[in-house]
């Protein structure tokens, strides 16, 4: 079937209508004329894939990744970088109604953390919206050293290995490998100079179960079960936004919610007389307490709790910063933020649809004064939004 693609959908696929049904065409670009095959038909929509391209968009390029057709990790390896940015900016404007600044990061080799699934000794990523494993031997989003570690497993394949591999790399290019599942060739890995820290079945076999990260002049201990932003340059951009916003503001008490290892809370401590960080992950809060001493911070309190369990306690707060999961804020937390009525609210979101929903709930009390995008996840449809609000 020959069709012309009208525009993008929210996931970066091509979109058109066929007999009053919306049709999503994987990896098709606006303006292209393509032959398609229908892969699935639902009541209200169709899903299709390209057989061949008859009129190609000038924004299309050849993907550098041989796994791209099946792997679900990236969505924008087949388009020029400027087109990817245009998509992300347009999506922000469409969902949120405004965009003030767009902060770029590195297009490739930016991820400092990756998790691979392993079946019968074959490691890879899942196909998009599937549990079909796509074997991977190289990923353009990872550093050269992380890709070398992948090759170790391919060289010493254990066909009985079922589990996961977590690979992390810090600012000094020190690596950590966390293995879940029975793996036969541990001695081979232990001898490799590529691996600085090795955790196997939750036991430390080499180095430690943590390493150190550094952002500006701050150092952070990060346990392998603790969250840390996957893109260091992106985190620097967030610091830049916060610094610009917080300069010359009078803040006595600040609340840092979903705080992880207190990466943002420690930065906030320069701008507020007191900061309270709240995080439910015990490993992260233990790291945070260590990081206070490491950075000689004396005006930050760390609470190990779910945000919704303690949010009602806080009074006389001047600034609230939230950095929730992709699902956004729960109703109890939003209700209490509206009661707290801090002068300023900073919402950092990796889920733009959840941010849109939550801003609707906050708009009676808070006014949006700036929305910035940090391109934290190049080559994917995802971005980090930093939304700055003030009390009406």
């Amino acid at each position: 079937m020959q069709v012309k693609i009208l525009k993008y959908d929210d996931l970066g696929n091509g979109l058109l209508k066929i007999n009053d049904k919306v049709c999503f065409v994987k990896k098709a670009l606006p303006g292209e004329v393509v032959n398609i095959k229908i892969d699935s038909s639902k009541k209200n929509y169709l899903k299709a894939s390209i057989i061949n391209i008859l009129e190609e968009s000038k924004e299309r390029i050849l993907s550098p990744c041989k796994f791209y057709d099946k792997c679900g990790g990236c969505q924008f390896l087949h388009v020029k970088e400027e087109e990817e940015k245009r998509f992300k900016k347009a999506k922000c404007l469409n969902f949120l109604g405004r965009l003030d600044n767009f902060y770029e990061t590195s297009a490739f080799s930016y991820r400092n953390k990756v998790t691979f699934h392993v079946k019968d000794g074959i490691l890879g990523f899942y196909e998009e919206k599937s549990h079909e494993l796509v074997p991977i031997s190289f990923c353009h989003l990872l550093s050269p050293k992380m890709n070398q570690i992948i090759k170790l497993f391919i060289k010493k394949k254990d066909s009985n290995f079922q589990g996961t591999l977590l690979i992390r790399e810090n600012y000094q290019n020190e690596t950590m490998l966390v293995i879940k599942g029975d793996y036969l060739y541990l001695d081979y890995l232990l001898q490799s100079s590529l691996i600085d820290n090795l955790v196997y079945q939750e036991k430390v076999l080499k180095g430690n179960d943590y390493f150190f990260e550094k952002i500006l002049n701050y150092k952070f201990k990060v346990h392998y079960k603790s969250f840390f932003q996957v893109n260091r340059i992106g985190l620097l951009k967030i610091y830049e936004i916060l610094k610009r916003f917080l300069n010359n503001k009078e803040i006595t008490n600040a609340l840092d919610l979903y705080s992880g290892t207190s990466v943002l809370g420690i930065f906030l401590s320069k701008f507020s007389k007191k900061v309270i960080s709240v995080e439910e992950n015990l490993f992260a809060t233990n790291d945070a307490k260590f990081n206070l001493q490491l950075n000689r911070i004396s005006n930050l309190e760390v609470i190990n709790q779910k945000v919704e369990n303690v949010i009602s306690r806080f009074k006389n707060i001047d600034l609230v910063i939230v950095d929730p999961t992709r699902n956004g804020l729960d109703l109890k937390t939003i209700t209490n933020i509206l009661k707290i009525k801090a002068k300023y609210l900073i919402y950092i979101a990796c889920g733009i649809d959840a941010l849109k929903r939550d801003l609707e709930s906050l708009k009676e009390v808070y006014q949006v004064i700036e929305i910035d995008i940090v391109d934290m996840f190049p080559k994917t449809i995802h971005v980090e939004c930093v939304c700055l609000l003030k009390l009406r």
Side-chain angles (χ1 to χ4, degrees), residues 52-287:
N52 64 316
I53 302 173
L54 303 174
E55 294 181 24
E56 185 176 278
S57 168
K58 62 181 174 48
E59 305 302 334
R60 182 179 287 276
I61 58 172
L62 185 65
S63 166
C65 178
K66 63 182 180 181
F67 311 108
Y68 184 53
D69 285 343
K70 289 189 175 180
C71 176
C74 297
Q75 294 83 39
F76 281 121
L77 284 175
H78 65 298
V79 301
K80 294 176 182 178
E81 286 185 22
E82 286 304 315
E83 178 71 358
E84 177 188 346
K85 292 171 196 170
R86 276 194 289 271
F87 168 84
K88 291 176 174 179
K89 291 175 182 178
K91 183 175 178 179
C92 181
L93 284 167
N94 182 42
F95 272 72
L96 305 176
R98 68 182 289 171
L99 173 61
D100 296 278
N101 300 290
F102 186 95
Y103 292 83
E104 298 181 21
T105 63
S106 298
F108 295 105
S109 303
Y110 64 84
R111 285 193 71 95
N112 57 49
K113 175 185 175 183
V114 65
T115 301
F116 288 102
H117 300 277
V118 186
K119 291 181 179 179
D120 303 322
I122 299 171
L123 79 158
F125 296 126
Y126 286 138
E127 202 170 324
E128 193 172 8
K129 295 185 178 178
S130 163
H131 283 283
E132 287 296 315
L133 192 71
V134 179
I136 296 290
S137 60
F138 182 90
C139 178
H140 289 271
L141 305 190
L142 306 181
S143 72
K145 194 171 182 182
M146 294 171 83
N147 275 305
Q148 284 179 289
I149 291 174
I150 295 170
K151 287 184 174 20
L152 290 179
F153 280 89
I154 294 170
K155 185 177 180 180
K156 282 289 188 180
K157 178 183 172 183
D158 176 1
S159 297
N160 294 314
F161 180 30
Q162 320 286 336
T164 59
L165 300 177
L166 170 68
I167 308 172
R168 300 181 81 154
E169 184 176 1
N170 73 354
Y171 75 108
Q172 292 181 310
N173 303 119
E174 296 169 335
T175 59
M176 173 179 286
L177 178 63
V178 181
I179 303 174
K180 289 185 179 180
D182 296 323
Y183 180 71
L184 186 60
Y185 303 112
L186 280 175
D187 288 343
Y188 173 71
L189 297 180
L190 288 168
Q191 291 165 13
S192 174
S193 60
L194 291 170
I195 300 167
D196 300 294
N197 306 280
L198 176 58
V199 180
Y200 177 72
Q201 305 285 47
E202 306 215 349
K203 292 181 181 178
V204 178
L205 301 187
K206 184 178 182 181
N208 300 294
D209 57 4
Y210 64 88
F211 54 61
F212 290 95
E213 280 288 0
K214 187 176 183 182
I215 302 293
L216 299 178
N217 293 320
Y218 301 109
K219 283 190 78 175
F220 302 96
K221 178 190 171 192
V222 184
H223 188 274
Y224 77 90
K225 292 185 178 180
S226 296
F227 172 78
F228 195 87
Q229 289 285 8
V230 299
N231 186 332
R232 273 181 226 96
I233 296 173
L235 181 54
L236 275 170
K237 301 296 184 184
I238 291 175
Y239 272 11
E240 184 182 321
I241 295 167
L242 298 185
K243 182 180 179 181
R244 175 171 50 79
F245 180 63
L246 295 172
N247 265 340
N248 304 317
K249 288 186 169 58
E250 291 186 12
I251 300 170
T252 303
N253 296 305
L255 197 53
D256 172 28
L257 304 180
Y258 315 95
S259 57
T261 55
S262 290
V263 169
L264 297 179
I266 285 172
F267 185 76
L268 289 179
S269 68
K270 281 181 59 177
F271 301 93
S272 178
K273 291 181 180 177
K274 183 176 181 181
V275 180
I276 301 171
S277 287
V278 182
E279 168 60 47
E280 68 172 303
N281 184 313
L282 182 59
F283 296 98
T285 49
N286 285 341
D287 287 345

